[in-house]
Amino acid sequence: DDCYTEVPADLPKTTKISSLKAGKKAFTVKYSKQTSGSGYEIQYSTSKSFKGAKTVKITKNKTVSKTVKKLKSKKTYYVRVRVTKGSSYKSSWSAVKKVKVK
């Protein structure tokens, strides 16, 4: 028995953040659509290590942008996105992008 674990074939592909725009106490994140999944999770935090991060769940895979509101102004937020399929299959996180909220 080797240590190699096989990745399930139906694991959704990772998505990319295509744009991240700062708004007033908010940001809008746009990401590339992935048909391999059924939804997305957007995670954001003021900490680079995502300590105490908040996660926004999107249940439709056609939704490719989300505005997150009620944030602290003049703070830098780190944002990442992943594709979900059902409740158990999740892709790896996208590359982290940062945005400074107005």
Side-chain angles (χ1 to χ4, degrees):
D1 227 15
D2 57 7
C3 301
Y4 178 76
T5 52
E6 204 171 306
V7 176
D10 53 357
L11 208 63
K13 285 192 179 83
T14 308
T15 187
K16 273 207 276 304
I17 295 176
S18 51
S19 87
L20 187 56
K21 289 193 171 67
K24 211 169 177 62
K25 294 190 179 181
F27 64 76
T28 301
V29 58
K30 287 187 179 153
Y31 41 88
S32 47
K33 185 176 167 184
Q34 287 295 347
T35 51
S36 64
S38 58
Y40 304 92
E41 279 182 1
I42 299 165
Q43 198 172 54
Y44 62 95
S45 175
T46 52
S47 139
K48 222 179 204 166
S49 62
F50 284 87
K51 197 175 175 153
K54 291 199 167 78
T55 305
V56 179
K57 287 183 171 70
I58 289 155
T59 53
K60 292 188 177 77
N61 77 341
K62 285 182 171 67
T63 308
V64 291
S65 78
K66 174 75 179 161
T67 301
V68 179
K69 295 177 176 145
K70 294 182 181 167
L71 303 173
K72 291 185 174 81
S73 62
K74 294 178 179 62
K75 282 256 188 214
T76 299
Y77 283 87
Y78 297 89
V79 184
R80 60 187 182 179
V81 183
R82 70 178 169 188
V83 183
T84 60
K85 189 175 183 182
S87 57
S88 52
Y89 290 118
K90 292 174 171 71
S91 75
S92 50
W93 289 106
S94 69
V96 175
K97 289 209 173 180
K98 62 181 187 174
V99 62
K100 191 164 197 246
V101 173
K102 290 173 187 154

